[in-house]
């Protein structure tokens, strides 16, 4: 593209190829990146092409619209238009089908990318096998141990615990009743009373009755 041409040939070819109306701003945005055309050069080139009659110019208010000279294109009859409409419909349907296929392939690709590779699966299986072997060894060790707790011994321990918990609750209730009786005539708060007599509650020690 020569300096004298100033992009006119590129713009003319572009308008003839697209065969649709454009403003100078549109042409500048569409061609600037590929051909490095400046906006001023585009405006001047399009005005010159219109002046030479190579393209057509229409003015709408303050905006100028340019488009290819339609005289250079052959006339299209109704049959040709119907053929073009049919081709457009077929191509649109094909585009829709391909778009749907692309979406399905993208979904499959995302699923595959999120799945483990064969090497990762093999490594995880080996890790799980090693973990299972360790659990089995521990289980066998427990079963073969001479000092493991029998069901009878376990039952005995639970019964003894129930006795101690019952006594704990009884004594706590008695202590609470006694303290409430004292607090009826005590001039200070319950907290101050406990601090004065040096009593620590279950809550102070962060202990609670065990669940059954």
């Amino acid at each position: 593209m020569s300096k004298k041409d100033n992009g006119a040939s590129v713009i003319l070819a572009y308008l003839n190829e697209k065969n649709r109306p454009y403003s100078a701003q549109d042409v500048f945005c569409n061609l600037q990146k590929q051909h490095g055309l400046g906006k001023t050069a585009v405006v001047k080139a399009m005005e010159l092409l219109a002046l030479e009659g190579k393209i057509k110019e229409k003015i709408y208010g303050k905006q100028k619209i340019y488009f290819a000279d339609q005289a250079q294109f052959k006339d299209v009859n109704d049959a040709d238009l119907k053929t073009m409409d049919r081709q457009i419909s077929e191509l649109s349907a094909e585009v829709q089908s391909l778009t749907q296929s692309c979406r399905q392939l993208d979904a499959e690709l995302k699923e595959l990318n999120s799945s483990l590779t064969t090497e990762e699966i093999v490594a995880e299986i080996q890790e799980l096998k090693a973990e299972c072997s360790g659990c089995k060894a521990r289980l066998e060790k427990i079963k073969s141990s001479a000092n493991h707790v029998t069901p009878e011994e376990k039952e005995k321990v639970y019964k003894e615990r129930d006795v101690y918990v019952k006594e704990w609750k009884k004594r706590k209730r008695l202590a609470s009743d006694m303290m409430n009786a004292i607090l009826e005539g005590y001039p200070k708060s319950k907290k101050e009373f406990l601090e004065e007599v040096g009593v620590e509650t279950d809550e102070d020690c962060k202990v609670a009755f065990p669940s059954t």
Side-chain angles (χ1 to χ4, degrees), residues 9 12 14 33 38 42 65 86 106 124 136 140-141 148 174 176 188 193 205:
S9 60
L12 178 60
Y14 179 75
K33 186 175 181 180
V42 170
I65 300 298
R86 186 179 67 256
D106 285 338
E124 186 169 344
K136 288 180 179 179
E140 292 298 327
K141 184 177 181 181
H148 66 273
L174 290 172
S176 179
K188 299 180 183 180
F193 170 72
C205 298

Side-chain angles (χ1 to χ4, degrees), residues 12 15-16 46 49-50 53-57 66-69:
L12 178 60
L15 292 177
N16 288 335
M46 296 184 75
L49 289 170
K54 295 180 179 179
I55 62 174
K56 296 299 181 181
E57 175 188 89
Y66 301 91
F67 53 92
D69 183 6

Side-chain angles (χ1 to χ4, degrees), residues 158-171:
Y158 273 111
K159 285 183 178 180
E160 290 178 350
R161 188 194 70 164
D162 291 341
V163 172
Y164 295 139
V165 170
K166 184 177 181 181
E167 187 66 23
W168 178 6
K169 291 180 179 179
K170 178 182 176 181
R171 295 189 181 190

Side-chain angles (χ1 to χ4, degrees), residues 140-184:
E140 292 298 327
K141 184 177 181 181
I142 292 173
K143 287 181 177 180
S144 61
S145 177
N147 60 350
H148 66 273
V149 179
T150 64
E152 292 78 13
E153 291 174 327
K154 181 178 179 181
E155 182 67 21
K156 180 182 178 181
V157 170
Y158 273 111
K159 285 183 178 180
E160 290 178 350
R161 188 194 70 164
D162 291 341
V163 172
Y164 295 139
V165 170
K166 184 177 181 181
E167 187 66 23
W168 178 6
K169 291 180 179 179
K170 178 182 176 181
R171 295 189 181 190
K172 182 173 183 178
R173 184 172 61 254
L174 290 172
S176 179
D177 292 341
M178 292 173 57
M179 184 171 56
N180 289 334
I182 295 172
L183 287 174
E184 288 181 0

Side-chain angles (χ1 to χ4, degrees), residues 14 27 62 71 79 101 118 126 155 198:
Y14 179 75
V27 173
K62 296 182 179 180
S101 298
T118 302
Q126 295 299 326
E155 182 67 21

